[in-house]
Amino acid sequence: MAAMLVGALRRGSGCRGGSRLLAQSLRRFVSTLVVAEHEGGFVKPSSLSALAAAEAIAKDNKVSVLLGGSGPALHKAADHAASSHPLVSEVLVADSEALAHPLAEPWAELLRSVQQKGGYSHVIASSTSFGKNLLPRAAALLDVSPVTDVTAVKEPHVFVRPIYAGNALCTVKYTGEEPCMMSIRSTSFSPTTEAMSETKVAPITQVDLSFLSEGKSSWVNLTSQDTERPDLANARVVVTGGRGLKSAENFKLLEQLAEKLGAAVGATRAAVDAGYVPNDLQVGQTGKIVAPELYMAFGVSGAIQHLAGMRDSKVIVAVNKDADAPIFQVADYGLVADLFEVLDELLKKIPEKK
C-alpha cells in the first residue's frame, strides 16, 4: 500500500495535486470497524450514527460491525446490524457471558484481537459511557492515540472536534499508526434513512473467543429507574430542570410535564449535586450530550458546561426569572417568569398524552 501511495504522489503535479491524489488513495484503502451497542435486539441509535460517521470517512468504506453479549437478543441485534446500512460488509458476533456487560477489560481484549486479525484502518465507537470507557483502554493495548468527540469528518484522517466546552472547534489530523481510533458525537451524524434491499444483507460471522481469560474486574449489578419515558440521549423532546426547582419534590412537576409531552427528563449538574435527581439525568460536558427537536429548560442558568451538552438542540425554550441568565443567549424562545407559575399553566393546558 505504501508503494502505491508513493507512486500516487510522484504522479501528482505539484504539492496540491499530490495531496489530492494521496487523499483519494487513502479513501480507496479505508476499512472500518464499528463497535456497536445493542438493546432489546436492536442496534442503538448512537451506533447507527457511528455507521454514518464511517460513511463520512469514505463512500466506498468497507465496514465491519462488532457486537458482543450473549443470548437471543444478541443474535437478533446482529440481524438488525446486517441490514442497517449499505456499507456494512460483515457483522462480527462475540457471544460470551464475559461480554454481556459493558466492562472495559474483556471488551478491550476483544477489540485488540479483532483489530489484529482484521487490520482495519479505522475503529469507531460512539461517545457514550460505554465508548468512553472502552476506547482509551483498547487504544493503549494497540499503542495508538484515540481521537475523541469527533463532530465532523473532513478527510479520512482529518477531523473536527469541540474544545473549551464546545465554545471552539478544532480541526485535527491523525498522523499515528493504524488503526485511527475515534469516538464520535452521535448527535452530529444522522443515521441513514436509505431503504435496504433484502439482497444486501451482510454476512454474520462468529468471533473466536479462545483468547478471553478471567479478568480482575467483575460485574456487580445495574441500578436504574423503571420508566416508560424515552432514553435521554435519543429523545425527540427533553425537559430539563436546574437548581431553580429548589427540591427533588418540585422535580416531580417536570416529570408530569414530560409524561404529557412524551419527553425525557434532564437536569443540570447543580441539580444533580444537590441531590434532586440521579446523575444519569445530567446533561452537559460531564453528563450526556443531547440534540432533541425541542429542549425545554426550567430554572437553568446556562453555565458553559451545560450548554456544551445541549447547544445542538433544534429548538431551545428557556424559562428563568433572571433576565440576564446566559441560557437566553442560546434560546430560540425565552420567557422571563417564575418557573412554577409557568409549569402550573402548562400542566393545566396541555392534554394528557394518548
Side-chain angles (χ1 to χ4, degrees):
M1 175 178 171
M4 296 180 71
L5 292 181
V6 170
L9 280 173
R10 285 175 177 169
R11 288 192 300 272
S13 54
C15 181
R16 183 174 298 179
S19 298
R20 186 164 52 249
L21 281 173
L22 175 60
Q24 292 171 353
S25 299
L26 282 172
R27 288 191 175 93
R28 283 199 294 270
F29 293 100
V30 166
S31 61
T32 300
L33 177 66
V34 172
V35 184
E37 301 173 58
H38 62 95
E39 185 176 29
F42 294 94
V43 178
K44 287 188 175 182
S46 58
S47 296
L48 296 178
S49 294
L51 289 172
E55 183 178 13
I57 291 174
K59 293 292 184 182
D60 54 352
N61 197 342
K62 181 182 177 183
V63 178
S64 296
V65 177
L66 176 62
L67 288 169
S70 63
L74 169 64
H75 298 284
K76 184 180 178 183
D79 292 335
H80 179 215
S83 58
S84 60
H85 196 285
L87 289 183
V88 175
S89 60
E90 183 183 28
V91 177
L92 303 174
V93 175
D95 192 342
S96 171
E97 283 294 332
L99 302 167
H101 304 294
L103 289 173
E105 196 172 358
W107 269 94
E109 292 289 347
L110 169 65
L111 189 49
R112 174 172 66 171
S113 175
V114 171
Q115 168 59 30
Q116 288 175 340
K117 291 179 181 178
Y120 300 97
S121 64
H122 293 71
V123 175
I124 302 178
S126 296
S127 290
T128 58
S129 298
F130 173 68
K132 290 176 181 178
N133 191 27
L134 166 65
L135 209 64
R137 187 182 186 96
L141 291 176
L142 292 167
D143 197 25
V144 297
S145 297
V147 183
T148 59
D149 254 2
V150 171
T151 57
V153 177
K154 290 194 169 183
E155 292 180 13
H157 287 155
V158 179
F159 313 104
V160 178
R161 60 183 304 274
I163 56 174
Y164 301 121
N167 281 283
L169 295 176
C170 178
T171 300
V172 297
K173 182 176 183 179
Y174 180 76
T175 58
E177 299 292 327
E178 290 187 348
C180 173
M181 302 187 74
M182 51 191 282
S183 64
I184 60 103
R185 281 198 180 182
S186 57
T187 54
S188 300
F189 296 91
S190 300
T192 182
T193 56
E194 181 181 341
M196 285 286 292
S197 168
E198 293 184 2
T199 60
K200 294 179 68 176
V201 177
I204 299 174
T205 305
Q206 298 293 322
V207 178
D208 177 17
L209 300 177
S210 58
F211 62 89
L212 276 182
S213 59
E214 187 175 349
K216 296 179 180 179
S217 60
S218 61
W219 179 262
V220 179
N221 61 32
L222 171 66
T223 302
S224 62
Q225 291 183 320
D226 292 328
T227 176
E228 295 182 358
R229 288 194 293 270
D231 176 60
L232 176 58
N234 303 306
R236 293 177 60 251
V237 181
V238 173
V239 178
T240 294
R243 189 160 41 191
L245 280 162
K246 299 180 181 179
S247 70
E249 188 68 24
N250 290 334
F251 246 89
K252 293 180 180 178
L253 296 172
L254 278 191
E255 293 175 359
Q256 294 175 29
L257 179 61
E259 293 289 345
K260 289 194 170 191
L261 295 174
V265 174
T268 64
R269 178 171 180 172
V272 170
D273 289 346
Y276 301 165
V277 289
N279 59 9
D280 59 333
L281 299 185
Q282 183 177 325
V283 174
Q285 186 178 15
T286 54
K288 293 184 177 178
I289 308 297
V290 300
E293 294 180 17
L294 173 62
Y295 188 88
M296 303 180 73
F298 293 87
V300 175
S301 63
I304 187 172
Q305 292 85 357
H306 182 74
L307 297 182
M310 45 69 70
R311 63 168 66 249
D312 291 332
S313 303
K314 306 300 183 293
V315 176
I316 300 173
V317 177
V319 179
N320 199 304
K321 64 181 180 181
D322 180 7
D324 296 323
I327 189 70
F328 290 124
Q329 297 177 13
V330 298
D332 298 285
Y333 301 94
L335 179 60
V336 180
D338 184 281
L339 69 89
F340 296 106
E341 294 178 2
V342 175
L343 280 173
D344 185 57
E345 286 294 317
L346 288 173
L347 290 172
K348 287 179 181 178
K349 295 183 178 180
I350 296 177
E352 295 291 337
K353 184 175 181 292
K354 296 182 180 179

